[in-house]
Amino acid sequence: MTDGIARGALGFALLSSAMLAVPAFAEDKDPPGDIVVTGHPDPEGLLPDQHAPKAQSAISADFITKQAPTLNAFQLIGLLPGANVSSSDPYGLSTSSSLTLRGLGQDEIGVLLEGAPQNDIGYYYAYPAQFADAENLKQITLAQGAVDLDSPTVGGAGGLLSLTLDDPKASPQALVNLSLGSYAARRAFVRVDTGTIGRTGLKAFVSYSNIRADNWRGAGFDTRQHVDAKLLNEWGNGNRASLAVSFNDANSSTYPSPTLADWKAEGRGFNYDRKYSAGNTNYWRLHRAPFRNVYLAAPLHLALSDRLTLDTTSYLQFGYGNSPYGTALSTTGNFLGTEGLGPVALPGAVDGAATVLGNYTGDQFRGGTVAKLTLAAGAHRITAGLWFDYGKDRVLQTYGAVRADGRPVDPWGYQETAIRTADGRLLAYEDQRTLTVTKGFFLADSITLTPRLTIDVGFKGVDLLRNGRNYLPGPQSAVRRDSFAALPRAAVHYQLDDRQQLFANVTTNFRGPNEFTLYNSYYGGELSTQGTNALKNEYSVSQELGYRYIGPSLSASVTAFHYHFRNRQLGTLVDVGGAQVNSTLNAGSQTSYGVDGEIDYRPAAGVSLYVSGEYLRARLDNDLPVGADFLPTRGKHAVSSPTFQAGLGGTYDDGRFFGSSALKYVARQYATFVNDESIPGYATLDLSVGVHLAEWLDGKRTDLRLNAINVTNPRVLSGVAAVTPNARDTIGRRGSLIAGAAPAYYVGSGAALIATLSRVF
């Protein structure tokens, strides 16, 4: 949450999953402590049965628990149709990563954990390194297009990623995972389940994990410690109430993103410096991002009568973090907003200059609740609900002292240690507070016209209010933006027979500009960027038409989709006083269409084959206004929108040994609106082998596996970190010269091996 304030024809995809012969720890049913391995049921693969009237894929605990335990949620779903993951490190610990779905960025993708939103309310990004540990996830569901009407998310045109925690076990038990891997990686995970507590009906689990790994390129290392816990009570008629808590404390590396020229000149050598020398602002210790977050979610389901149910999810989030950078300051010539300052005392200054830590800190709180009543009345299933969300975001860009050896005095960037002016004020490049209040209501009716045909109609209204204050001296003080969006939708689901389904839907979505666009920025005492509340909301209309087949050994799904955007908003990074800050570019109108598909084939017990693919055509409909001219962008490819993604993979498990392979291909991605710079397509390969040791030991679940990540170690750029309108100087439609700016890219991660010993007690 907080670390991201500063930081968003032919090809076939190849994919696979590794399954264990014994029940997974996170399954619905409790695994016994002692087992006898007698065989392996047909694996579920990566295509669990779906019945929603929209494109949707899922991975279950059977797949999740067999992957490298360090992988975050984005990496785990990266091989599903439409998902394009740019990961900067093999273990998923760095904040430098990206997810797009059907060419739509992660600030367009809603993320829920136990029904509670995980996106940053100010910038819409979600940060998977902060999510629950993989061992505690029961299922991850990815809706590539239509977002559920009752989802407490703003935006979501790109889809919805829903994470469900495993329920506590009915019997006491413990799970221990120990891992060692490349780059001196070491990880320990311990989970304890209480079982049912006396006669209360309550049951709970709590887990703790700790990992440390060196950077795979350049100097530095990542640390992360994490706690997940869940308390659950269930009683008659399907009633259940739970409380989930997820705490994350990490200090993560921010790998630098090269331009194409940097990449050609230095390749993977484009890194922060390993050693410090006086005046060096590129020293690696000045570019590490510490952050702490707490997420709480309290879902409740009550059967009020045979026909009426109540569902609520209340949630809280707390977070603080710093996304620092090295910079240099002078003791004179400084400004606070537009106000000139006298001499400033800088620790360690030599000849009137000092190397300092530029702090970009965020202190955030978010809380809210979504509640709905559902009434079954004959052929109708009527849902009505309300959503309220309150968020506070305190953003400061201050400066801190650096020791003689290059270590920052306070890497967290707390105000108490920040450098101050002669009269005691914070020396700040940015100083603002934003309150965001979201209010929504929704009404829907699911009408069963025949036993095979269901029609859904619904409407959602959302009001998004931002009230903010810019504390820097200058022409701007209070800021405010209030907007309302009306979001109708409809869907049809038809069951052709026991195995075949047809579905279609029409969905609307909106997204307001992020909070950064409201505020003035100043440089050298002058206004450099004019804040505005006049930017229009992005609004989109999307359609899907799909077919599913669910068979005993073969399951398949294919979906055709179409999007039209007005005021298409693209997340990018801009330099604000040295900090890389998430911002928004308005790309005008955009039209996208394509096809997603996936097949899961299980020819025999213990064997699973999976194929997925996507064709995407995404084009800009307008020329882009730049000053008094227009860039020639009409008909150009949308950025970060590969035309093809595809793949194939397979698994084997005979009850004693298991293995898997997974190959992912992503086609060319453009990085500018005029398509004058792009990165070529690339492929990655993951392999795994494992052995079930229970039969050879004491009958208790004991598994040893080796995961090989990115085996072929391709030296590639994996995604676009910062898009620009044009990379080269370009003549506009009206004849003026429009200066180019170089995009920046994510460097694809290197290869890694990690071995894990797992034991249930």
Side-chain angles (χ1 to χ4, degrees):
M1 185 167 70
T2 57
D3 63 308
I5 296 172
R7 319 257 180 248
L10 291 253
F12 250 81
L14 300 150
L15 177 59
S16 72
S17 66
M19 305 285 178
L20 287 183
V22 297
F25 183 74
E27 287 184 289
D28 289 332
K29 296 182 180 180
D30 298 340
D34 299 282
I35 61 171
V36 176
V37 180
T38 58
H40 193 289
D42 289 343
E44 189 177 37
L46 278 178
L47 194 54
D49 296 350
Q50 303 292 336
H51 299 277
K54 61 181 180 180
Q56 186 165 280
S57 305
I59 56 175
S60 68
D62 284 330
F63 171 76
I64 295 169
T65 58
K66 308 310 173 287
Q67 306 311 299
T70 64
L71 298 188
N72 62 50
F74 285 1
Q75 291 172 306
L76 288 169
I77 58 95
L79 297 175
L80 295 180
N84 175 23
V85 177
S86 302
S87 185
S88 292
D89 77 292
Y91 294 138
L93 299 172
S94 172
T95 59
S96 303
S97 63
S98 175
L99 167 67
T100 65
L101 289 176
R102 296 176 177 172
L104 302 176
Q106 75 186 64
D107 56 342
E108 300 267 13
I109 301 167
V111 180
L112 304 179
L113 174 64
E114 291 288 283
Q118 306 296 290
N119 301 75
D120 184 313
I121 192 60
Y123 299 88
Y124 305 116
Y125 281 78
Y127 306 102
Q130 301 172 4
F131 298 166
D133 280 324
E135 290 95 336
N136 296 322
L137 293 175
K138 179 180 180 180
Q139 182 168 281
I140 303 176
T141 303
L142 179 67
Q144 287 91 343
V147 174
D148 294 334
L149 190 68
D150 58 351
S151 296
T153 59
V154 175
L160 183 69
L161 182 66
S162 299
L163 285 69
T164 303
L165 287 180
D166 179 32
D167 284 343
K169 306 303 177 185
S171 301
Q173 67 177 46
L175 169 68
V176 177
N177 284 346
L178 300 175
S179 303
L180 293 173
S182 304
Y183 316 112
R186 55 182 186 269
R187 180 180 186 267
F189 171 90
V190 178
R191 169 172 158 165
V192 176
D193 282 73
T194 65
T196 303
I197 304 172
R199 298 182 179 179
T200 65
L202 294 170
K203 50 186 178 179
F205 79 76
V206 61
S207 71
Y208 171 79
S209 68
N210 193 310
I211 183 172
R212 184 197 184 282
D214 290 341
N215 287 7
W216 74 272
R217 67 178 176 97
F221 60 93
D222 294 324
T223 60
R224 177 184 186 263
Q225 54 180 343
H226 190 91
V227 175
D228 291 323
K230 186 174 181 179
L231 178 67
L232 172 67
N233 194 10
E234 297 176 292
W235 61 101
N237 206 20
N239 295 301
R240 58 181 281 145
S242 63
L243 174 65
V245 180
S246 189
F247 168 77
N248 196 70
D249 184 343
N251 201 342
S252 303
S253 299
T254 52
Y255 293 96
S257 297
T259 64
L260 204 55
D262 295 328
W263 176 250
K264 290 178 179 178
E266 301 184 54
R268 289 179 172 179
F270 184 77
N271 297 307
Y272 296 119
D273 295 335
R274 186 174 298 274
K275 295 183 178 180
Y276 180 75
S277 58
N280 183 5
T281 61
N282 200 51
Y283 181 49
W284 69 271
R285 290 188 182 275
L286 303 179
H287 298 268
R288 302 191 70 222
F291 55 93
R292 292 191 185 103
N293 302 86
V294 179
Y295 299 88
L296 297 95
L300 171 68
H301 175 79
L302 289 176
L304 302 179
S305 71
D306 291 341
R307 298 190 302 154
L308 184 65
T309 60
L310 170 67
D311 291 276
T312 69
T313 299
S314 298
Y315 53 88
L316 291 172
Q317 299 175 11
F318 304 89
Y320 179 87
N322 188 16
S323 295
Y325 56 96
T327 189
L329 287 181
S330 298
T331 56
T332 59
N334 294 297
F335 292 85
L336 200 59
T338 59
E339 178 187 333
L341 299 174
V344 176
L346 299 178
V350 177
D351 296 329
T355 299
V356 297
L357 184 72
N359 301 305
Y360 197 88
T361 61
D363 190 354
Q364 296 187 345
F365 164 80
R366 186 179 185 185
T369 188
V370 58
K372 67 178 182 181
L373 287 168
T374 303
L375 175 66
H380 298 267
R381 185 176 177 85
I382 302 169
T383 300
L386 298 171
W387 173 36
F388 177 80
D389 186 287
Y390 174 87
K392 181 178 71 173
D393 188 11
R394 184 74 168 93
V395 174
L396 272 167
Q397 191 170 168
T398 62
Y399 305 96
V402 173
R403 294 187 175 95
D405 62 358
R407 294 173 179 260
V409 171
D410 176 16
W412 288 89
Y414 292 121
Q415 293 186 36
E416 293 77 9
T417 62
I419 296 170
R420 294 183 177 267
T421 64
D423 58 4
R425 292 177 293 172
L426 285 170
L427 181 62
Y429 186 87
E430 194 168 355
D431 188 352
Q432 59 199 221
R433 185 190 66 174
T434 309
L435 302 179
T436 302
V437 178
T438 309
K439 293 176 286 186
F441 66 91
F442 50 91
L443 180 65
D445 189 6
S446 181
I447 309 167
T448 304
L449 297 180
T450 73
R452 295 185 181 273
L453 177 62
T454 302
I455 295 178
D456 297 340
V457 293
F459 178 86
K460 186 174 186 177
V462 180
D463 182 84
L464 181 65
L465 170 66
R466 295 197 197 274
N467 267 322
R469 186 171 181 84
N470 191 341
Y471 293 101
L472 293 179
Q476 185 185 60
S477 177
V479 300
R480 178 184 172 89
R481 177 185 170 87
D482 194 359
S483 60
F484 177 82
L487 305 171
R489 62 174 57 201
V492 177
H493 183 271
Y494 185 71
Q495 193 79 34
L496 292 170
D497 54 33
D498 290 344
R499 299 199 179 280
Q500 301 182 85
Q501 309 169 34
L502 292 175
F503 63 86
N505 62 67
V506 178
T507 307
T508 56
N509 278 288
F510 94 108
R511 202 200 80 164
N514 68 41
E515 67 181 42
F516 176 76
T517 62
L518 295 172
Y519 292 98
N520 286 353
S521 294
Y522 306 101
Y523 183 77
E526 301 292 334
L527 178 66
S528 59
T529 303
Q530 176 73 56
T532 178
N533 61 4
L535 291 179
K536 295 180 179 179
N537 290 333
E538 175 185 283
Y539 195 86
S540 64
V541 180
S542 63
Q543 302 89 28
E544 292 182 328
L545 176 64
Y547 167 82
R548 286 193 193 100
Y549 176 82
I550 301 173
S553 61
L554 175 70
S555 298
S557 175
V558 61
T559 304
F561 57 85
H562 175 270
Y563 294 85
H564 180 71
F565 292 88
R566 298 198 306 265
N567 301 303
R568 172 80 167 94
Q569 294 181 11
L570 290 169
T572 187
L573 294 176
V574 297
D575 186 288
V576 178
Q580 297 297 302
V581 178
N582 291 314
S583 188
T584 301
L585 296 175
N586 190 326
S589 177
Q590 178 180 317
T591 301
S592 304
Y593 61 80
V595 179
D596 286 334
E598 56 184 343
I599 300 172
D600 186 20
Y601 178 47
R602 303 170 296 277
V607 179
S608 178
L609 301 174
Y610 180 87
V611 178
S612 73
E614 178 181 85
Y615 167 76
L616 171 66
R617 185 187 188 278
R619 297 292 188 272
L620 301 178
D621 298 332
N622 307 114
D623 289 333
L624 182 71
V626 177
D629 207 338
F630 292 84
L631 275 172
T633 57
R634 180 189 296 271
K636 299 295 186 180
H637 288 259
V639 298
S640 301
S641 300
T643 302
F644 295 103
Q645 297 183 68
L648 161 79
T651 64
Y652 171 78
D653 192 327
D654 65 4
R656 292 185 178 179
F657 302 98
F658 62 91
S660 73
S661 62
L663 177 64
K664 174 75 176 189
Y665 171 75
V666 179
R668 175 183 300 274
Q669 300 178 66
Y670 286 95
T672 66
F673 294 172
V674 297
N675 293 172
D676 59 354
E677 191 168 295
S678 64
I679 56 175
Y682 69 95
T684 59
L685 175 65
D686 294 343
L687 299 172
S688 71
V689 293
V691 58
H692 308 308
L693 301 173
E695 184 177 326
W696 294 326
L697 298 176
D698 55 4
K700 294 185 177 181
R701 174 185 160 185
T702 308
D703 304 313
L704 178 64
R705 70 180 184 273
L706 177 67
N707 293 95
I709 305 168
N710 207 14
V711 176
T712 58
N713 196 23
R715 297 174 178 269
V716 298
L717 297 172
S718 62
V720 186
V723 303
T724 66
N726 51 306
R728 304 185 186 96
D729 294 348
T730 303
I731 302 298
R733 295 292 192 191
R734 296 178 177 175
S736 64
L737 181 66
I738 300 174
Y745 301 94
Y746 296 112
V747 176
S749 69
L753 292 173
I754 187 165
T756 302
L757 179 64
S758 180
R759 171 78 169 177
V760 172
F761 296 92

